[in-house]
Amino acid sequence: MKVLILCTGNSCRSQMAHGFLQSFDPSITVCSAGTEASGKLNQKAVAAMKEIGIDISHHTSDSVEKYLADEWDYVITVCGGANEACPAFMGKVKHRLHIGFDDPSHALGTDEFIWSEFIRVRDEIKAGFWKFYEENLKMK
């Protein structure tokens, strides 16, 4: 089973989703990529995942170009609001899904509020990807 998670920058939401899905079932091949990969991880996303025992600090922010020649069982986009362009994957894929989330890296306000947005979105990603896993991937 191969799953590719796509976002624009591949620094935050797709990285957290990647970490969760891999933690649910290490036998699944999970990759994440961005149409405009930032080349770095969002450190608040890394910290939010570390807080619950998932280490994504070793992940890399990769361009979707790296994965176009591969075949995927699922390609899942995680972009959020209407002002955000959702990437399209032009490679070989059996199932395309969208599970959207707000981008916590765009949050403005106090440090406490910004951190609370990372925690909120992290928890929403966990719930959304657990539901996807239970309904589509978990061996019954």
Side-chain angles (χ1 to χ4, degrees):
M1 181 62 58
K2 289 178 64 177
V3 179
L4 178 63
I5 303 166
L6 281 185
C7 206
T8 306
N10 190 223
S11 67
C12 189
R13 293 167 292 180
S14 53
Q15 295 288 349
M16 289 193 281
H18 179 166
F20 277 122
L21 194 53
Q22 200 74 78
S23 77
F24 299 155
D25 187 342
S27 72
I28 300 169
T29 298
V30 182
C31 297
S32 59
T35 52
E36 298 167 24
S38 67
K40 62 187 188 319
L41 300 185
N42 182 299
Q43 291 307 302
K44 284 186 175 66
V46 173
M49 294 298 284
K50 184 176 183 178
E51 183 181 82
I52 58 168
I54 298 174
D55 180 11
I56 62 169
S57 64
H58 61 283
H59 287 194
T60 57
S61 175
D62 299 317
S63 170
V64 68
E65 304 288 324
K66 178 177 177 179
Y67 300 108
L68 288 176
D70 298 336
E71 293 190 27
W72 299 94
D73 294 294
Y74 288 90
V75 172
I76 304 170
T77 51
V78 293
C79 43
N83 63 342
E84 196 175 355
C86 219
F89 183 76
M90 299 308 186
K92 296 175 187 153
V93 58
K94 292 178 186 167
H95 307 281
R96 297 170 198 270
L97 295 173
H98 175 74
I99 309 173
F101 304 98
D102 294 335
D103 188 346
S105 67
H106 292 161
L108 301 171
T110 64
D111 289 345
E112 292 80 12
F113 174 75
I114 292 169
W115 179 246
S116 75
E117 285 296 282
F118 273 86
I119 300 309
R120 177 183 67 82
V121 172
R122 177 201 67 197
D123 293 348
E124 289 175 2
I125 290 171
K126 180 180 182 182
F129 272 80
W130 179 253
K131 184 174 188 280
F132 162 74
Y133 174 71
E134 286 270 296
E135 293 175 358
N136 299 282
L137 304 182
K138 190 174 183 183
M139 298 300 164
K140 306 225 183 247

